[in-house]
Amino acid sequence: MIVFKTFLKILNKNKFIIIMYTAILIFFGGMNMSTNDKSTNFVTSKPDVLIINNDEDIGITKNLIDYIKSNSNIIDIKNDEDAINDALFYRDVNYIIYIPTNFRSYFLENKNPQIEIKTTGDYQASLAEMMLERYLKVANIYNSILDNEDDIIESINNTLSKEVKAEITSKLDTDSLSKVTLFYNFSNYSILAGCVYVICLILSSFKDEKIRKRTIISSTNYKKINRNLLISNSLFALILWFFYVILSLVLLGDIMFSIHGLICIINSFIFTICALTLAFLLANLINSKDAINGIVNVVALGSSFLCGAFVPMEWLPDSVIKIAHFLPSYWYIKTNELLKTMEIFNFDTMKPIIINMAVIILFSIGFIIITNYFSRKKQKFA
Amino acid sequence: MKKIIEVKNLTKEYKNLKAVDNLSFEVYQGEILGLLGPNGSGKSTTINSILSLLNFSNGSIKIFGSEMNPDSYEIKKNIGVVFQDVALFEELTAYENIDYFCGLYIKDKKIRQKYIEDAIELVGLNDFKKFYPKQLSGGLLRRLNIACGIAHKPKLIFLDEPTVAVDPQSRNNILDGIKKLRDNGATIIYTTHYMEEVEILCNRVIIIDKGKVLASGTLDELKALSLIEEKISIEVNDLDLKYIEEIKQFRNVDEVVYDDNHLIISYEKGKNNIIKLIDYLKDKNITYNNLYVMRPTLNDVFLSLTGKELRD
Ligand SMILES: Nc1ncnc2c1ncn2[C@@H]1O[C@H](COP(=O)(O)OP(=O)(O)OP(=O)(O)O)[C@@H](O)[C@H]1O
Ligand SMILES: [Mg+2]
């Protein structure tokens, strides 16, 4: 009880700076969301498609491939299941089209050959899918009324070239979704900064060697005090997270009640736990209160820049992205980015998100282990 | 008399240094025991070992008749400690600081409030309850540090150099407070390297150096160990060197120092030293002022035992 009371008092003494921090964050977060709208120009970008053609590259088959080629970025990956699955996972390719042997002859015989596909299930993939479906629809119509392959191809090309201007529509509210992503990407900074600042502040008071010594000789079990500190700090992190969730509901509205929103909230919760464990680790490492501001800037601001919380990940150089892999923020933001264009939710499309979350949890466990190691070492020293 | 603490053969070694070397002593109920020793003599190490804050290499510690361990919470309940270094939360006011430390022992809010007020009264911080540590002077900080250590009304109190670098006003206040604590029935262990404090406060003194007990006993017992029995101080202007040499040849004289027109003569023992000196001065027609006799101090005891000064 006395620990919790003291925790609140210390927080209270720092309320001004904490409120200011939060206000500035919300302000910049808001600015970020309103100015960065146009960066969501992925709508005009072409999907990355891989075509695996098991048929001969002639006639209708060749025409299909040419059509896809002219409307997408063709990716070249060796025809190997593992390589293809990896490429899908890392979003190197959005859509894979397997053209079966005898596609051309079956098609011309009206045997309705099956084209197999693999998809990342996101917005880009759905562009590719629509493209393929449209081609097959038009091709089937002409195939049923014309006999000559050249005539069919010519008619298809005519129709499709006229249709090129037609809007490609998606069920996704991409505008709102990109705002959700921006908000939660930005919260990478807010949550990290909030947790690290407050927990370092609280623990550097309680773990101050002199106060620790004085507390240990009291009749209250030191383990109990540690436990109460852990609970108080976790509670704070939870409230901080909850605050940002509520804020997102207020700022972003209905979209937060979709699956996208729900996953964003879960993702941010897992990330908050990770931020909490990281804050405990840092609080164990620092020796002075003066270091806290520096640490907050390095950790929160640094990881936010490196991992694309403020600047879209696509804009960052590869070398930066490689470094970012070693930071939990990267995996958190990656999920937010995936969600922005995610259209279909099933096990395959969710898999990368689940893996991202698992990585964040692994980071948390790692931080806990390192924290324990250091605090043991510190205690042994006495 | 009831033994409150029993320290037996306590030894604490750091890598290549015996900070405490086979130390044994006892503390009795109701006394103020002075632990006197120069810097680095092992006073803090002894206290930290008694409190189970350090893993000592050898020895046994009993407090209130039971073995002291890191998790002897029943014993700890009745102990108050004021460490050498001030331990306070910067973010909390004077009152809130005492509240926290007292709260580690006393859960009941009402009782705690009363205890905090008592502690504030004892150290005379009434006007500074709402002050933050940063706003307090060095002396007031020390007093607050003491209040934090004793607010829960412990039966046994450790005070580790609570008056280091404190102005005379705060020092007097602190010493008065400690006497009050003793009068209220607490047993107190007081470490210091100020012998004057020990002479004012302590019933019994243990002098330690290099982690070993040099001597222990009441003030009178210790002073009997001094090689010097008395010192005579006289103010004489421009005394000739040859007279000083002659005085040095007197019986029982151990040392003669002439400095700033003050002549200080230390005598090993003997009677009538003062009469002989006055006769001599008369005989030589030397005018003098302010003649007085000093009893030996603990510093003289320490000097006699170790050949060096307690304070450098
Ligand atoms: N953690 C440590 N590691 C190594 N040596 C130490 C450590 N702590 C204390 N010492 C040494 O042990 C000896 C006793 O130190 P201690 O602090 O007990 O002395 P003290 O009598 O309290 O002195 P002071 O009057 O300066 O407070 C000193 O020589 C000191 O250098
Ligand atoms: Mg000391």
Side-chain angles (χ1 to χ4, degrees), chain A residues 381-382, chain B residues 14-15 17-20 37-46 48 54 84 160-161 164 191-193 208:
Chain A
F381 188 67
Chain B
Y14 289 113
K15 273 184 201 91
L17 174 103
K18 273 192 180 169
V20 177
N39 288 126
S41 54
K43 303 183 294 292
S44 299
T45 309
T46 304
N48 288 338
L54 289 174
Q84 189 168 356
D160 194 358
E161 307 208 26
V164 166
T191 83
T192 183
H193 55 257
I208 64 173

Side-chain angles (χ1 to χ4, degrees), chain A residues 2-3 5-6 9-10 13-14 201-202 204-206 208 210-225 289 380-382, chain B residues 12 48 51 53-55 73 76-77 81 83 85-93 96 99-101 103-105 107 109 112 132 148-149 152:
Chain A
I2 192 75
V3 170
K5 194 173 152 191
T6 307
K9 276 186 192 152
I10 296 176
K13 294 288 139 65
N14 288 282
L201 185 79
I202 299 286
S204 66
S205 287
F206 277 92
D208 172 271
K210 285 169 266 160
I211 289 181
R212 200 178 74 93
K213 218 168 108 180
R214 181 62 190 78
T215 308
I216 285 177
I217 53 106
S218 80
S219 61
T220 304
N221 192 331
Y222 196 65
K223 278 197 193 117
K224 196 173 147 198
I225 289 170
K289 270 187 191 151
K380 275 229 179 85
F381 188 67
Chain B
K12 167 71 189 175
N48 288 338
L51 292 170
L53 281 170
L54 289 174
N55 292 319
Y73 297 111
K76 287 182 176 183
K77 238 184 222 171
V81 184
F83 285 111
D85 301 312
V86 173
L88 296 167
F89 286 91
E90 274 173 44
E91 295 88 350
L92 303 185
T93 61
E96 290 166 343
D99 188 32
Y100 171 76
F101 290 109
L104 294 174
Y105 301 83
K107 304 290 166 210
K109 250 190 176 164
R112 199 161 73 224
Y132 290 94
C148 290
H152 57 287

Side-chain angles (χ1 to χ4, degrees), chain B residues 64-123:
Chain B
F64 304 126
S66 321
E67 196 79 27
M68 177 68 178
N69 291 308
D71 51 2
S72 306
Y73 297 111
E74 280 306 309
I75 296 178
K76 287 182 176 183
K77 238 184 222 171
N78 292 307
I79 296 181
V81 184
V82 179
F83 285 111
Q84 189 168 356
D85 301 312
V86 173
L88 296 167
F89 286 91
E90 274 173 44
E91 295 88 350
L92 303 185
T93 61
Y95 186 96
E96 290 166 343
N97 264 299
I98 306 175
D99 188 32
Y100 171 76
F101 290 109
C102 189
L104 294 174
Y105 301 83
I106 310 283
K107 304 290 166 210
D108 186 299
K109 250 190 176 164
K110 280 235 174 74
I111 298 177
R112 199 161 73 224
Q113 261 172 14
K114 161 125 196 2
Y115 280 17
I116 296 168
E117 291 297 341
D118 289 350
I120 288 175
E121 181 72 40
L122 184 89
V123 297

